[in-house]
């Protein structure tokens, strides 16, 4: 299999094709996801919740993310490896650059950062130094205490146009990919159409260029209440490999997300 690169994702966008993304935290699940055809693997700071049992992603450290990145890198096959910069990893410009360097040395091929227009300078410096960046907008879980919970963002017109403007600013600063979390489907479509770079969505409707889910949600092993945008792919599968294949195929065929998964 030819390795998936940023150019592959750009070509998907130009052709109007979608692509699949899934979180992974170890070599075995990374291999299973990659074998199923998943285009992008994310070592997400969601590991603080699904692996460590915290109620937020804030406790996750750079060391922990690097450990899981090294594990996933050994099993990633042809998939593109994206990695989350953890909470406060951008506390200063210097720390941002050093931390992103650590992630790249651990095996990251694309670094995902949460943050609005103010992240533009950081993204510009990273891009200059050869670190491709995905900018995560909308519901940014690292600011959950400020947002007052895991709530849909961009429901009113002001916040919606702010998110669109932030996305434009960050692409201008060098972001190679945008990730939109928990925004109304029409905002997901507007931003995807407005930008030349690939847009990945989670709870952002059916029209983003790519879709991403947390592995544990796909396999239905997430404890407690699940967000509206998740789907249990184990329900119609024989095993984990089948569930990953089904998720990949449903994304590629635009069967997922369905209306019931959107805002
Ligand atoms: N298992 C898991 N799945 C995820 O998608 C995920 C994590 N963990 N941890 C990190 C973040 C946190 N995320 C979340 C968590 C909860 C909602 C949620 O319950 N949202 C409400 C929105 C309600 C509203 O404002 O209308 C929902 O009903 O989906 C959304 C995103 C997404 N990420
Ligand atoms: C939910 C995805 C987008 C994420 O950031 C994570 O898994 O940490
Ligand atoms: Mg994350």
């Amino acid at each position: 299999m030819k390795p998936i690169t940023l150019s592959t994702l750009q070509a998907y966008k130009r052709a109007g094709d979608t692509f699949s993304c899934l979180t992974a935290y170890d070599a075995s699940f990374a291999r299973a996801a990659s074998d199923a055809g998943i285009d992008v693997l994310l070592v997400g700071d969601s590991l603080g919740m699904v692996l460590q049992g915290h109620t937020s992603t804030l406790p996750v450290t750079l060391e922990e993310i690097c450990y899981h990145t090294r594990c996933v890198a050994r099993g990633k096959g042809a998939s593109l490896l994206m990695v989350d910069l953890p909470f406060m990893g951008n506390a200063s410009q210097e720390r941002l650059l050093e931390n992103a360097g650590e992630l790249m040395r651990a095996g990251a091929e694309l670094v995902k950062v949460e943050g609005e227009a103010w992240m533009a300078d950081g993204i510009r410096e990273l891009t200059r130094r050869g670190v491709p960046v995905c900018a995560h907008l909308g519901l940014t879980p690292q600011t959950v205490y400020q947002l007052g919970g895991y709530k849909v963002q961009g429901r009113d017109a002001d916040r919606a146009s702010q998110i669109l403007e932030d996305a434009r600013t960050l692409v201008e600063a060098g972001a190679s990919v945008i990730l939109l979390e928990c925004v109304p489907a029409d905002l997901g479509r507007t931003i995807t159409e407005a930008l030349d770079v690939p847009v990945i969505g989670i709870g952002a409707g059916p029209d983003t260029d790519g879709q991403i889910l947390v592995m544990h949600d796909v396999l239905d092993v997430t404890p407690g209440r699940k967000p509206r945008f998740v789907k249990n792919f184990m329900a119609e599968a024989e095993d984990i490999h089948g569930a990953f294949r089904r998720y990949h195929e449903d994304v590629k065929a635009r069967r997922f997300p369905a209306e019931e998964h959107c805002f």
Side-chain angles (χ1 to χ4, degrees):
M1 258 286 273
K2 239 179 104 207
I4 307 286
T5 66
L6 275 179
S7 316
T8 318
L9 304 188
Q10 287 152 4
Y12 285 147
K13 174 156 190 147
R14 276 197 303 275
D17 291 336
T18 58
F19 56 91
S20 62
C21 317
L22 189 66
T23 68
Y25 313 97
D26 69 33
S28 303
F29 282 101
R31 174 64 63 186
S34 166
D35 286 350
I38 302 290
D39 293 294
V40 180
L41 300 179
L42 169 67
V43 179
D45 57 358
S46 52
L47 72 85
M49 295 169 75
V50 293
L51 300 195
Q52 298 173 337
H54 296 294
T55 54
S56 81
T57 60
L58 276 64
V60 176
T61 66
L62 187 78
E63 284 73 3
E64 289 164 351
I65 290 274
C66 283
Y67 167 76
H68 288 283
T69 300
R70 288 192 297 273
C71 294
V72 168
R74 296 182 195 113
K76 77 170 201 74
S79 307
L80 179 70
L81 182 46
M82 173 159 76
V83 179
D84 263 346
L85 183 75
F87 178 62
M88 282 295 161
N90 53 4
S92 68
Q93 207 77 327
E94 202 170 346
R95 274 175 65 182
L96 170 65
L97 298 180
E98 282 168 5
N99 292 343
E102 283 295 304
L103 297 180
M104 296 298 283
R105 280 190 285 273
E109 296 168 325
L110 178 63
V111 171
K112 180 158 76 62
V113 297
E114 294 184 16
E116 305 182 319
W118 57 270
M119 267 304 293
D121 289 338
I123 289 173
R124 198 170 292 113
E125 295 303 318
L126 287 170
T127 305
R128 271 185 187 149
R129 288 166 176 79
V131 177
V133 177
C134 170
H136 181 158
L137 293 166
L139 169 52
T140 45
Q142 291 172 13
T143 56
V144 63
Y145 292 107
Q146 214 163 40
L147 297 173
Y150 298 106
K151 295 179 189 162
V152 175
Q153 302 296 306
R155 274 208 151 119
D156 60 275
D158 280 358
R159 177 86 169 108
S161 53
Q162 189 211 330
I163 296 172
L164 171 60
E165 278 321 299
D166 289 344
R168 282 210 170 96
T169 302
L170 297 183
V171 168
E172 182 72 24
S176 301
V177 179
I178 294 288
L179 185 143
L180 289 178
E181 175 165 347
C182 274
V183 298
D186 60 345
L187 181 58
R189 175 167 28 83
T190 302
I191 294 178
T192 303
E193 286 172 358
L195 302 179
D196 289 329
V197 303
V199 176
I200 300 170
I202 174 166
D207 302 314
T208 55
D209 302 302
Q211 296 289 336
I212 187 162
L213 283 179
V214 167
M215 181 192 103
H216 293 64
D217 297 334
V218 168
L219 300 180
D220 197 33
V221 290
T222 312
R225 216 191 119 267
K226 279 158 242 346
R228 180 182 169 89
F229 54 75
V230 310
K231 181 176 171 185
N232 168 16
F233 284 89
M234 277 307 275
E236 297 153 47
E238 299 233 310
D239 57 14
I240 289 171
H241 299 278
F244 285 175
R245 264 198 313 274
R246 187 63 181 264
Y247 166 64
H248 174 71
E249 287 162 7
D250 281 5
V251 168
K252 287 285 186 180
R254 295 190 190 269
R255 283 189 298 262
F256 178 83
E259 210 166 307
E260 71 215 73
H261 307 114
C262 302
F263 299 107

